[in-house]
Amino acid sequence: AGLFRQKILSRRTEKTEVIPIATYVIADIHGEYDLFMELLEIIHWKEDDTLYILGDTVDRGPHPVKVLRKLMEMPGVVCIAGNHELMALECLEFLCREITEESIADMDAETVNNLLSWQMNGSMTTTDEFHRLDREEQQEVLEFLKEFLLYQELTVGGRDYLLVHAGLGNYSPEKDLEDYSLEELVWDRADYDTRYFDDVYVVTGHTPTWQIEGNPKPGYIYRANRHIAIDCGACFPGGRLAAICLDTD
């Protein structure tokens, strides 16, 4: 987890003006590879477009590692970490170790709790696919996960956006983005009743939109108070995988 934090924090970037052919955001694919490929066709994604992925690519759905390997080969893709990437990285690096007396001795209470928590959150499909890879392929996937960002600030079409997986837990207008903890960015749910910024749209996943209280269209992209929530529950029965084009809103 420490390496994950260090890698991500070192890759935060300054806000930039983005001028690609198109800029899309997708969240919470959760191993739904077929839905992901179908959605790319629907939006007519091209290799010179930019695609931001708001975390939770892995777990629950049938092909999480296949999703990761597809993202690894796609140009113009920027991945932002979700809680499921954090759990996967914490546990997969341990599970890749040779079983020895030393590795067993290293299984402290925190390691055991991490493994149990991940299992309860749908890890089986990820571990099944991951273990089918050879060692070199496994390391490539782990290194790819370590490159995920914590958040991204960008400007598209004259509008400012903050892309983050979960939200800004313990939000305060006095806090800088660098002051938010890993937990507050990838686990704590956004407060959709609170406008965080007057001039920035906050795009999040993590919370399926049918769980947002007062949402008039559960299961569709939700907008209120400069929030744009795009997790439409792809891995759940009746759920959808959503994309938003920031250029056209």
Side-chain angles (χ1 to χ4, degrees), residues 103-232:
S103 64
I104 293 174
D106 286 342
M107 287 191 65
D108 55 16
E110 181 178 359
T111 301
V112 173
N113 286 336
N114 287 341
L115 290 167
L116 290 174
S117 176
W118 191 34
Q119 184 178 37
M120 292 172 59
N121 280 280
S123 69
M124 188 64 69
T125 55
T126 303
T127 55
D128 283 351
E129 280 200 316
F130 186 80
H131 285 146
R132 296 191 197 113
L133 304 178
D134 62 37
R135 285 294 185 185
E136 182 178 353
E137 291 170 332
Q138 289 178 350
Q139 287 303 313
E140 289 173 352
V141 168
L142 290 174
E143 291 305 314
F144 179 63
L145 287 171
K146 291 175 185 177
E147 296 298 320
F148 280 31
L149 308 178
L150 269 183
Y151 58 81
Q152 178 70 63
E153 299 175 273
L154 68 158
T155 302
V156 181
R159 298 174 69 176
D160 293 332
Y161 294 92
L162 169 64
L163 311 183
V164 62
H165 174 66
L168 302 178
N170 298 311
Y171 168 76
S172 169
E174 282 75 42
K175 288 171 73 171
D176 293 329
L177 288 174
E178 291 77 9
D179 296 331
Y180 287 93
S181 68
L182 193 60
E183 175 98 2
E184 291 168 336
L185 295 169
V186 307
W187 277 103
D188 293 351
R189 301 195 184 278
D191 180 1
Y192 295 108
D193 292 328
T194 299
R195 177 178 288 200
Y196 292 163
F197 309 104
D198 289 330
D199 53 356
V200 177
Y201 290 85
V202 182
V203 187
T204 53
H206 191 54
T207 301
T209 58
W210 66 66
Q211 294 182 4
I212 300 174
E213 187 174 353
N215 181 4
K217 295 185 66 176
Y220 290 82
I221 288 176
Y222 175 79
R223 304 164 185 268
N225 299 313
R226 299 275 171 134
H227 288 281
I228 305 175
I230 66 170
D231 176 8
C232 295

Side-chain angles (χ1 to χ4, degrees), residues 83-99:
N83 54 306
H84 284 262
E85 281 81 25
L86 177 60
M87 290 187 289
L89 189 56
E90 288 173 333
C91 296
L92 287 176
E93 288 200 307
F94 177 80
L95 294 174
C96 281
R97 297 175 59 183
E98 182 182 358
I99 303 300

Side-chain angles (χ1 to χ4, degrees), residues 7-31:
K7 285 277 188 177
I8 296 176
L9 292 179
S10 68
R11 287 179 55 82
R12 288 175 174 166
T13 57
E14 297 296 324
K15 183 174 67 176
T16 57
E17 176 74 24
V18 178
I19 315 176
I21 301 300
T23 304
Y24 296 101
V25 189
I26 298 174
D28 296 76
I29 300 171
H30 275 303

